[in-house]
Amino acid sequence: MAPIAVGDALPDGTLAWFDENDQLQPVSVHSLAAGKKVILFGVPGAFTPTCSMTHVPGFIESAEELKSKGVDEILLISVNDPFVMKAWAKTYPDNKHVKFLADGSASYTHVLGLELDLADKGLGIRSRRFALLVDNLVVKVANIEEGGAFTISGAEEILKAL
């Protein structure tokens, strides 16, 4: 399956997250993105070095600036279970805007065409590192990394596109 690209409609799918009341909830991607400008970014795994020390902090630190440029939602997905994503989110006490969403079985990652096979590293099927800028369910920017690279999917690249 070809990876999602600029001009494509963002497919719907169900992810899991812990809401503001600490309740585990299924959530539709379309319910978070329809009629809005959103950033959907994905990482290979919670608690992994580049994801934890650079990629996610970049979006947390840039959230106010992104919001000031018209972004309504900043959505992080990873192929991890929702309990891992909840624990990972708690390691960022200053986060006010990034929602940590779980794609536990990689089903939504598959629909996006962004699977990354990391079985040789003991991680199984994960997500490629990416950042999408989506406006009313249409992909406007698709920054998709190759392998384990982190060159084009950070917050600063999305800021340049806004």
Side-chain angles (χ1 to χ4, degrees):
M1 178 174 193
I4 193 158
V6 172
D8 288 352
L10 185 70
D12 200 6
T14 302
L15 301 170
W17 77 303
F18 279 88
D19 66 16
E20 54 281 344
N21 298 315
D22 206 29
Q23 298 299 306
L24 179 60
Q25 301 288 339
V27 63
S28 150
V29 172
H30 279 191
S31 74
L32 296 172
K36 299 177 184 172
K37 186 178 288 186
V38 303
I39 295 165
L40 177 65
F41 74 106
V43 298
F47 296 105
T48 56
T50 302
C51 306
S52 293
M53 295 185 290
T54 310
H55 202 177
V56 172
F59 279 99
I60 290 171
E61 292 160 10
S62 299
E64 293 292 338
E65 187 176 0
L66 290 162
K67 292 253 182 197
S68 77
K69 292 180 178 267
V71 172
D72 298 299
E73 295 276 0
I74 304 169
L75 310 172
L76 164 63
I77 69 168
S78 184
V79 180
N80 290 105
D81 70 67
F83 297 94
V84 168
M85 294 300 282
K86 174 184 170 182
W88 194 28
K90 287 184 176 188
T91 68
Y92 300 100
D94 295 334
N95 177 36
K96 294 177 182 67
H97 300 293
V98 176
K99 285 187 171 78
F100 284 64
L101 306 173
D103 184 18
S105 63
S107 57
Y108 191 67
T109 299
H110 175 74
V111 169
L112 295 175
L114 297 175
E115 306 98 326
L116 178 64
D117 187 347
L118 294 175
D120 62 329
K121 293 180 173 41
L123 299 172
I125 299 298
R126 296 298 179 121
S127 172
R128 289 168 65 181
R129 189 180 309 283
F130 69 89
L132 305 176
L133 178 62
V134 179
D135 194 354
N136 195 25
L137 304 178
V138 177
V139 177
K140 300 298 184 183
V141 174
N143 293 345
I144 301 168
E145 305 281 5
E146 292 298 325
F150 178 53
T151 57
I152 60 169
S153 61
E156 62 282 349
E157 295 300 319
I158 295 295
L159 281 166
K160 288 178 193 173
L162 288 169

